[in-house]
Amino acid sequence: MSAGKPNPQLQDIPLLIDFAAPTSLLREQNRVSTLPIVGNGPPGTFVLLPDGLRVSLPTDQIVFADDTGGHVRVGFGGMRFVGLEEGRLVFLRIRELFPEDQLSPARSHKMLLDTQWVATVSVDGLPVWRAGSPVR
């Protein structure tokens, strides 16, 4: 599943997260309205885990998304991996990819992912964290 943009070369993606298998993507449909909606942000994007849990992702940061290999792989354009915090992987929003009027004012600036959900985190094409390994 593409995030609506051409698929860039994976090594050119600043932050790439491979989720553990089996996982799949759920992308909410854009709701068309005759009324202008300001500051609502894009439709939601979720990673579906086998136990039924839906993990919300910052849709406005996604530059690549695919789940054709039995697991979700998502690339983010304006986020940075910063390490572990209380056993969870921590990612911070460092720049916006869209104008302010296209973003939700309630958007989060920190994404926390349970290490059990993630297989690999890559930065600029190089793996920086793998399941079962300490953070470099």
Side-chain angles (χ1 to χ4, degrees):
M1 171 185 210
S2 172
K5 298 180 182 182
N7 293 346
Q9 295 294 327
L10 295 181
Q11 66 269 16
D12 294 335
I13 296 174
L15 175 65
L16 185 67
I17 300 173
D18 282 289
F19 286 83
T23 48
S24 60
L25 276 171
L26 170 65
R27 183 165 173 126
E28 292 179 337
Q29 296 297 315
N30 196 7
R31 296 185 180 127
V32 178
S33 173
T34 57
L35 301 172
I37 300 174
V38 177
N40 197 36
T45 303
F46 302 89
V47 175
L48 301 178
L49 301 173
D51 63 2
L53 186 64
R54 291 174 16 150
V55 178
S56 179
L57 300 177
T59 302
D60 62 295
Q61 288 287 325
I62 296 173
V63 296
F64 172 83
D66 181 72
D67 65 357
T68 58
H71 74 282
V72 173
R73 174 177 268 186
V74 181
F76 297 93
M79 298 196 71
R80 174 180 293 146
F81 175 58
V82 295
L84 282 173
E85 181 179 290
E86 298 180 9
R88 295 181 292 180
L89 300 165
V90 180
F91 306 86
L92 297 179
R93 182 182 295 260
I94 57 171
R95 68 181 173 91
E96 302 298 354
L97 303 181
F98 295 95
E100 189 71 25
D101 66 341
Q102 294 178 25
L103 300 170
S104 169
R107 67 191 176 278
S108 64
H109 292 273
K110 180 190 255 187
M111 177 172 68
L112 300 172
L113 298 176
D114 189 303
T115 57
Q116 295 178 0
W117 303 338
V118 178
T120 307
V121 175
S122 298
V123 174
D124 296 326
L126 300 172
V128 295
W129 185 88
R130 292 185 192 277
S133 299
V135 175
R136 291 193 321 185

